[in-house]
Amino acid sequence: MNITTGLIAPFEGVQRASAALTRKTAPGQAFLSGWRHHDDGVSHTVIADWPAHHPLYTSHKGHYHPLLLAETIRQSLALLSHVAHDIPLDFRLGWESYDSSVVPTAMRTRSVPAVVRLTVTHTEVDRHRRGSVRLATQITAVRDGEPLGIARVRYTAHPPAIYERLRGEYTDAQAATARALPLGPALDDATRGGQTSPDNAVLSPIGESHRWRLRVNTANRSFFDHAHDHVPGLVFLEAAAQAAQALSDASQTVPTEFDARFARYVELDSPCWVEATPLRRSRSGVVRTEVTGHQNGMKVFSVRVTAFEDA
């Protein structure tokens, strides 16, 4: 049975990837088509079909946005946490860190969808007495047999009782979304480099060249497929990418590496301030930028983003 809609040949042991197990609900936002166990007991293959066109992930002028790899990994870990590690669907997953690197040439878009195959290896699965699980994983990705990228993720899974204690009054996602701050203005098109529409803009100008307010559009289905009780980590990666672009004189910057740490939940009802510091610019047009977020006087995330400038 070919579970990947005719894009690649079937192989033994593949099972369908239900959209519900990826924790996505909006049409066009679930990308996984199948998965299978490896004989080593710790690794799995996950197959994803990347669309030829998408309002966010194909907005980088001929390149897939590296956020698409991050979202594909997020969906893969959600799926595998349940089918491979017996973590119930009502557990809440959260990332502690995300490091990734992509091959720019392999991220180029084409006129047809791309088939991406991930090899996901869990190097740690630590189960705590009260039910929480801490996991670490390494991922390699290929596209149509061509090396695409690598990543490392550390994440947690908390049972409802523990998550409710952690989140307190913010546990209710519907109520938290309803309390989200009004949407601020988007950076102008020149500052964004024309890479993304205002709907996808995640930074609001505040009159400072290296500092912005995080712009959280809860109507954006790429980021908010369903109600969230806090800002999703994907928004911080996009904030880093847009901050790097805002500091660049190039017509566009194409992110290739993220080194991200997520320190605290970022609430929807309080402003989060984003600051960028240039770290390095090479003669070959590669730039590295440190981007941090602070909310209520506390550091909530940090992302080092590496990108190449395309004049």
Side-chain angles (χ1 to χ4, degrees):
M1 176 177 62
N2 189 343
I3 62 145
T4 55
T5 61
L7 294 175
I8 61 174
F11 58 98
E12 186 177 357
V14 171
Q15 301 184 55
R16 288 184 180 273
S18 163
L21 297 182
T22 68
R23 308 194 181 200
K24 302 295 281 188
T25 60
Q29 300 298 334
F31 304 116
L32 306 189
S33 56
W35 68 278
R36 73 177 178 101
H37 293 284
H38 287 201
D39 292 339
D40 62 9
V42 296
S43 300
H44 300 80
T45 291
V46 178
I47 302 167
D49 297 335
W50 283 5
H53 303 286
H54 188 279
L56 172 63
Y57 299 123
T58 60
S59 62
H60 270 52
K61 293 184 178 179
H63 288 82
Y64 281 114
H65 196 314
L67 287 191
L68 181 52
L69 177 61
E71 172 58 20
T72 302
I73 290 171
R74 190 207 62 77
Q75 293 185 22
S76 299
L77 299 184
L79 168 75
L80 294 176
S81 70
H82 179 64
V83 300
H85 299 293
D86 299 319
I87 294 174
L89 281 173
D90 62 353
F91 276 41
R92 303 295 294 270
L93 305 183
W95 284 11
E96 295 181 338
S97 65
Y98 173 76
D99 303 325
S100 70
S101 177
V102 299
V103 180
T105 54
M107 295 292 285
R108 290 174 179 158
T109 54
R110 301 167 189 163
S111 60
V112 296
V115 176
V116 173
R117 192 174 296 183
L118 306 182
T119 299
V120 182
T121 302
H122 277 85
T123 56
E124 298 176 30
V125 181
D126 296 329
R127 302 181 187 273
H128 294 203
R129 180 172 58 85
R130 295 187 177 181
S132 293
V133 187
R134 177 166 275 110
L135 307 99
T137 186
Q138 298 178 350
I139 302 104
T140 60
V142 298
R143 173 189 180 181
D144 301 322
E146 177 184 4
L148 176 69
I150 58 176
R152 296 190 303 267
V153 183
R154 300 189 72 89
Y155 67 108
T156 57
H158 294 303
I162 290 180
Y163 192 77
E164 288 170 9
R165 287 200 293 272
L166 287 172
R167 299 296 291 137
E169 63 177 311
Y170 291 102
T171 301
D172 187 330
Q174 296 289 346
T177 300
R179 293 197 303 267
L181 295 176
L183 197 61
L187 293 178
D188 60 45
D189 186 71
T191 305
R192 296 197 313 274
Q195 292 183 163
T196 188
S197 75
D199 289 341
N200 295 329
V202 297
L203 298 177
S204 284
I206 59 173
E208 300 180 35
S209 61
H210 291 69
R211 193 167 180 264
W212 308 267
R213 197 184 93 173
L214 190 68
R215 183 177 187 267
V216 182
N217 182 4
T218 59
N220 186 312
R221 288 294 169 259
S222 297
F223 298 127
F224 289 86
D225 167 82
H226 53 277
H228 286 255
D229 65 279
H230 60 275
V231 181
L234 207 67
V235 175
F236 310 139
L237 300 181
E238 177 63 355
Q242 291 185 22
Q245 173 66 54
L247 297 187
S248 174
D249 295 328
S251 61
Q252 76 163 339
T253 58
V254 180
T256 58
E257 298 179 18
F258 290 111
D259 183 352
R261 300 295 178 268
F262 310 108
R264 304 178 67 90
Y265 295 104
V266 178
E267 312 302 351
L268 294 160
D269 61 357
S270 180
C272 178
W273 307 103
V274 178
E275 185 170 352
T277 303
L279 297 179
R280 186 190 69 191
R281 171 179 273 121
S282 70
R283 292 183 179 180
S284 60
V286 175
V287 294
R288 179 171 290 174
T289 309
E290 175 85 17
V291 181
T292 58
H294 288 79
Q295 186 176 66
N296 299 322
M298 294 178 288
K299 186 175 180 179
V300 290
F301 72 84
S302 65
V303 183
R304 285 194 177 189
V305 56
T306 300
F308 70 85
E309 296 178 312
D310 187 354

